[in-house]
Amino acid sequence: MTGGQALVAALDAHGVDTVFGIPGTHNLEIYRHLAEQGIRHVSPRHEQGAGYAADGYARTTGRPGVAVVTSGPALLNTAAAVGQAWSDSVPVLVVSPGLPLRHPGLGNGLLHESRDQGGALAAIAAASIRATSVPEIPVAVAQAFAIMTGGRPRPVHLEVPLDVLAETGDVVLSSPVAAAAPVAAPLDVAAAAARLTGASRPVLLVGGGARGAAEEVRRVAERLGAPVVTTANGKGVLPEDHPLSLGAGVHLPAVRELVDDADVVLAVGTELAPSDLWYGPLPLADRLVRVDVDPVGAVTNAVPGIALVGDAARTLRALLDLLPSTDAGEPAARRAESWRDRKAKDAEAEGAEWLEIVAALAEALPRDAVVAGDSAMVCYYGAMTNLPVHRPGAFLYPTGFGTLGYGLPAAVGAKVGDPGAPVLALLGDGGVMFTIAELATAADLGLPLPIVIVDNSGYGEIRNEMLDREDPVHAVTFASPDFAALGRAMGCSGVTLHGPAGLAGAVREALAADRATVIHLRHSDPAARLQGDAR
């Protein structure tokens, strides 16, 4: 096989059926073999969009997402997406050509030459692997998948020198290696079970690391009678209409009070990171029992009284074997309802400006819908804590890295990965401009995708921070384009709304359409915003 053929065959052997990417001079030997191997190619309009689409695909399907790009600027364009995947523990594989094996050490101006593109990606991914011969390529692919799927999921960069892509060599394809999911040590599980059994006011804090343990989380919560609060990435692990669910928003004051009141807190698959908590660490002390597949993560941000280092699903099943066999029942549900009401008041107060929009979305979206959000006020103040979600991986949000431009390409990747799921993109007018070109991708694919752009005339969060600091307010307010007209120009349908009235109907129509629909929701008057900035 040629190196390009070996690479595509190895991806296929590892179950890859879809890649997102853009062809270029140096990766054509990879592209040559995609169709013959039966791998679908989706063409975003920018490599950052390819990375975010692969991320959305991975979060929705539970399988690694793959982006294939060319060298130099193309690969570096994926860097923000790789950083986001690292931050949120998402298995994304970025494949690119590299400089030739015997390229001059100080360079000679070859097309797309960069000093050390592998080093650049190694600084933000779990690893940057460089295959230096054709026989090594399937091994490198297997290594990449082992890193992405063993333990804590992380992104990986795989580089094949462009001359190796064109060479031929003998190839032995390897089957995927199924990494055994670790379970916590039995003595630690027994200690945790004893601690939880004796608790009268237990609480569960659940993160994205529990997405594969939804059933186990539900059973543990019911057995203990514990209210469940999730992070943004854990949203939907327990359906948010479950009697014990308090929904997402570990940063809210009521959750801090709930944790203060608890005698044991069971944290599953969450970093308890500042980007989740917003206002500082929770007061957990030795009341914390922590389940985490990453031993470093298990002692970061909060030192547990008992650490259970292992896969969330397997470790919770081991814990269930030692917990009382009867559910806590009605008293637990009443306690959860009381705290749910208190938390809801905090969430509504925080998201007051966005509640009508969120209510319209909740009215229109089916129970199995996926919402891909951007780092926008309507998402982190509105939808995260007030929009009900009922299955794991149904709220895609760039939590830790906090990138802009994520939501639109992530929604495309989610819809490609799960075509039967209703998918909606929820964006701000500032962030969507980072990846606005992906409207063309959604149009090309004919996706029935509502793309809701909530327009508050610029970077509203930063504008508010400037005001809070009593700084001069500038560079944050601007008039938006006519997004509906822009959508139509790029092959989508387009609707303009001047308030939440009509939003539910527009979303329903978009979910049933034969193409993507841009729904431009004008949330404020840009002239008034500009005048306010001038003051």
Side-chain angles (χ1 to χ4, degrees), residues 365-442:
L365 290 174
R367 184 178 176 81
D368 61 341
V370 174
V371 175
D374 218 345
S375 189
M377 297 174 80
V378 69
C379 292
Y380 50 77
Y381 292 138
M384 183 177 72
T385 52
N386 294 288
L387 181 67
V389 166
H390 303 298
R391 66 184 179 105
F395 186 70
L396 314 183
Y397 177 72
T399 304
F401 212 47
T403 185
L404 289 172
Y406 172 84
L408 174 55
V412 170
K415 188 65 177 175
V416 168
D418 190 355
V423 178
L424 175 139
L426 183 60
L427 319 165
D429 58 299
V432 71
M433 293 299 289
F434 284 54
T435 50
I436 194 69
E438 305 312 338
L439 290 177
T441 309

Side-chain angles (χ1 to χ4, degrees), residues 331-500:
R334 287 196 299 271
R335 172 172 172 254
E337 183 177 8
S338 171
W339 283 106
R340 183 166 52 250
D341 291 344
R342 295 167 67 173
K343 177 184 168 292
K345 290 177 182 177
D346 286 348
E348 290 168 4
E350 178 183 79
E353 184 177 350
W354 318 101
L355 290 181
E356 290 184 81
I357 295 171
V358 171
L361 296 178
E363 178 187 339
L365 290 174
R367 184 178 176 81
D368 61 341
V370 174
V371 175
D374 218 345
S375 189
M377 297 174 80
V378 69
C379 292
Y380 50 77
Y381 292 138
M384 183 177 72
T385 52
N386 294 288
L387 181 67
V389 166
H390 303 298
R391 66 184 179 105
F395 186 70
L396 314 183
Y397 177 72
T399 304
F401 212 47
T403 185
L404 289 172
Y406 172 84
L408 174 55
V412 170
K415 188 65 177 175
V416 168
D418 190 355
V423 178
L424 175 139
L426 183 60
L427 319 165
D429 58 299
V432 71
M433 293 299 289
F434 284 54
T435 50
I436 194 69
E438 305 312 338
L439 290 177
T441 309
D444 277 357
L445 294 170
L447 301 178
L449 177 66
I451 301 165
V452 179
I453 302 174
V454 180
D455 185 350
N456 65 345
S457 309
Y459 303 125
E461 177 67 28
I462 308 306
R463 182 166 52 223
N464 289 345
E465 290 181 20
M466 286 178 169
L467 289 167
D468 290 343
R469 289 164 51 93
E470 299 183 352
D471 288 350
V473 178
H474 65 111
V476 291
T477 299
F478 36 79
S480 298
D482 183 339
F483 285 114
L486 181 58
R488 289 191 291 270
M490 298 178 81
C492 305
S493 296
V495 177
T496 300
L497 301 175
H498 292 276

